[in-house]
Amino acid sequence: MDLIAQLEAEQIASLGKDLPDFKAGDTIRVGYKVTEGSRSRVQNYEGVCISRKNGEGIAGSFTVRKISFGEGVERVFPLHSTNIDSITVVRRGRVRRSKLYYLRTRRGKSARIAEVTNYKPKQA
Protein backbone atom coordinates (compact mmCIF):
# COMPACT_ATOMS: atom_id res chain seq x y z
CA MET A 1 0.00 0.00 0.00
CA ASP A 2 1.45 3.34 -0.98
CA LEU A 3 1.91 6.16 1.51
CA ILE A 4 -1.08 8.28 0.45
CA ALA A 5 -3.50 5.36 0.62
CA GLN A 6 -2.08 4.41 4.04
CA LEU A 7 -2.55 7.96 5.41
CA GLU A 8 -6.08 8.04 4.00
CA ALA A 9 -6.91 4.70 5.64
CA GLU A 10 -5.61 6.00 8.99
CA GLN A 11 -7.76 9.14 8.72
CA ILE A 12 -10.88 7.08 7.95
CA ALA A 13 -10.13 4.75 10.85
CA SER A 14 -9.70 7.69 13.24
CA LEU A 15 -13.22 8.90 12.38
CA GLY A 16 -14.57 5.60 13.70
CA LYS A 17 -17.66 5.53 11.46
CA ASP A 18 -19.11 2.41 9.93
CA LEU A 19 -20.79 3.20 6.62
CA PRO A 20 -23.45 0.92 5.16
CA ASP A 21 -22.92 -0.70 1.78
CA PHE A 22 -24.95 1.44 -0.64
CA LYS A 23 -24.69 2.39 -4.28
CA ALA A 24 -26.51 4.45 -6.89
CA GLY A 25 -30.17 3.47 -7.11
CA ASP A 26 -30.59 2.79 -3.40
CA THR A 27 -33.07 4.83 -1.40
CA ILE A 28 -31.21 6.08 1.65
CA ARG A 29 -31.99 8.18 4.72
CA VAL A 30 -29.20 10.53 5.77
CA GLY A 31 -29.36 11.94 9.30
CA TYR A 32 -27.65 15.32 8.95
CA LYS A 33 -26.75 17.52 11.92
CA VAL A 34 -28.27 20.98 11.53
CA THR A 35 -27.23 23.85 13.81
CA GLU A 36 -29.76 26.62 14.32
CA GLY A 37 -28.38 29.31 16.57
CA SER A 38 -27.04 27.54 19.65
CA ARG A 39 -29.17 24.42 19.26
CA SER A 40 -28.27 21.40 17.17
CA ARG A 41 -30.60 18.70 15.87
CA VAL A 42 -30.57 15.81 13.39
CA GLN A 43 -32.62 16.29 10.25
CA ASN A 44 -33.37 13.29 8.02
CA TYR A 45 -32.97 13.65 4.27
CA GLU A 46 -34.45 10.67 2.41
CA GLY A 47 -34.12 10.12 -1.31
CA VAL A 48 -32.52 8.12 -4.10
CA CYS A 49 -28.74 8.03 -4.28
CA ILE A 50 -28.02 9.07 -7.88
CA SER A 51 -24.21 9.03 -7.74
CA ARG A 52 -21.15 8.15 -5.69
CA LYS A 53 -17.84 9.89 -6.31
CA ASN A 54 -14.28 8.95 -5.28
CA GLY A 55 -15.31 5.57 -3.86
CA GLU A 56 -14.66 4.82 -0.20
CA GLY A 57 -11.80 7.32 0.12
CA ILE A 58 -11.64 10.30 2.46
CA ALA A 59 -12.68 12.62 -0.39
CA GLY A 60 -15.71 10.49 -1.30
CA SER A 61 -19.15 12.01 -1.71
CA PHE A 62 -22.63 10.96 -2.77
CA THR A 63 -25.62 12.77 -4.24
CA VAL A 64 -29.16 12.20 -2.95
CA ARG A 65 -32.20 13.29 -4.95
CA LYS A 66 -35.72 13.66 -3.61
CA ILE A 67 -38.96 15.26 -4.73
CA SER A 68 -40.07 17.97 -2.30
CA PHE A 69 -43.45 19.61 -2.93
CA GLY A 70 -43.35 18.60 -6.59
CA GLU A 71 -39.85 20.01 -7.12
CA GLY A 72 -36.71 17.90 -7.49
CA VAL A 73 -34.07 18.64 -4.85
CA GLU A 74 -30.53 17.26 -4.90
CA ARG A 75 -27.97 17.43 -2.16
CA VAL A 76 -24.33 16.35 -2.18
CA PHE A 77 -22.99 14.89 1.07
CA PRO A 78 -19.33 14.24 1.87
CA LEU A 79 -19.06 10.56 2.73
CA HIS A 80 -16.94 10.99 5.88
CA SER A 81 -18.43 14.28 7.09
CA THR A 82 -18.63 14.88 10.83
CA ASN A 83 -22.06 16.44 10.26
CA ILE A 84 -23.53 13.15 9.08
CA ASP A 85 -25.09 11.40 12.06
CA SER A 86 -26.28 8.24 10.30
CA ILE A 87 -26.86 6.68 6.91
CA THR A 88 -29.51 3.97 6.62
CA VAL A 89 -30.52 2.10 3.49
CA VAL A 90 -34.31 2.13 3.14
CA ARG A 91 -34.48 -0.01 -0.02
CA ARG A 92 -32.08 -1.41 -2.59
CA GLY A 93 -32.53 -0.42 -6.20
CA ARG A 94 -31.77 -2.53 -9.26
CA VAL A 95 -29.94 -0.30 -11.73
CA ARG A 96 -27.43 -0.97 -14.49
CA ARG A 97 -25.35 2.19 -14.32
CA SER A 98 -23.37 4.06 -11.70
CA LYS A 99 -24.69 7.59 -12.34
CA LEU A 100 -28.45 8.07 -12.52
CA TYR A 101 -28.49 11.63 -13.85
CA TYR A 102 -31.26 10.67 -16.29
CA LEU A 103 -33.69 10.71 -13.33
CA ARG A 104 -33.51 14.52 -13.43
CA THR A 105 -35.65 14.57 -16.57
CA ARG A 106 -38.07 11.87 -15.43
CA ARG A 107 -41.36 12.39 -13.56
CA GLY A 108 -43.85 9.99 -12.02
CA LYS A 109 -43.85 6.33 -13.01
CA SER A 110 -40.91 6.61 -15.38
CA ALA A 111 -38.73 7.75 -12.47
CA ARG A 112 -39.31 4.53 -10.52
CA ILE A 113 -36.49 2.12 -9.75
CA ALA A 114 -37.09 -1.62 -9.32
CA GLU A 115 -36.24 -3.04 -5.90
CA VAL A 116 -33.66 -5.75 -5.32
CA THR A 117 -35.18 -8.59 -3.33
CA ASN A 118 -32.21 -10.97 -3.29
CA TYR A 119 -29.55 -8.59 -1.92
CA LYS A 120 -26.46 -10.15 -0.33
CA PRO A 121 -24.10 -7.88 1.66
CA LYS A 122 -20.51 -7.52 0.49
CA GLN A 123 -18.00 -9.72 2.26
CA ALA A 124 -15.33 -7.57 3.87
Side-chain angles (χ1 to χ4, degrees):
M1 190 185 292
D2 62 333
L3 188 62
I4 294 173
Q6 191 175 0
L7 286 171
E8 210 170 85
E10 287 174 14
Q11 285 179 332
I12 292 170
S14 70
L15 290 171
K17 288 192 172 190
D18 54 326
L19 297 172
D21 172 34
F22 70 96
K23 59 181 180 49
D26 295 348
T27 302
I28 58 176
R29 184 180 298 126
V30 181
Y32 199 73
K33 292 177 188 164
V34 178
T35 306
E36 295 166 338
S38 61
R39 299 186 333 138
S40 181
R41 64 184 175 86
V42 175
Q43 182 174 352
N44 285 327
Y45 190 90
E46 184 173 337
V48 178
C49 177
I50 62 170
S51 74
R52 292 262 317 244
K53 288 192 171 116
N54 298 328
E56 299 290 325
I58 195 76
S61 64
F62 59 99
T63 306
V64 181
R65 179 177 176 83
K66 76 174 184 177
I67 305 297
S68 178
F69 298 103
E71 194 73 28
V73 180
E74 290 183 11
R75 191 156 178 195
V76 180
F77 294 99
L79 196 58
H80 297 285
S81 172
T82 54
N83 287 336
I84 291 182
D85 184 57
S86 64
I87 301 173
T88 53
V89 179
V90 178
R91 61 193 291 258
R92 306 268 176 195
R94 188 182 107 37
V95 292
R96 296 174 66 174
R97 56 189 68 217
S98 62
K99 304 284 192 276
L100 304 180
Y101 298 140
Y102 69 90
L103 288 177
R104 292 172 176 165
T105 59
R106 301 285 178 93
R107 295 285 178 264
K109 286 189 177 181
S110 64
R112 288 184 301 182
I113 295 174
E115 188 172 4
V116 172
T117 54
N118 60 349
Y119 172 76
K120 291 185 180 71
K122 275 199 292 190
Q123 299 297 321

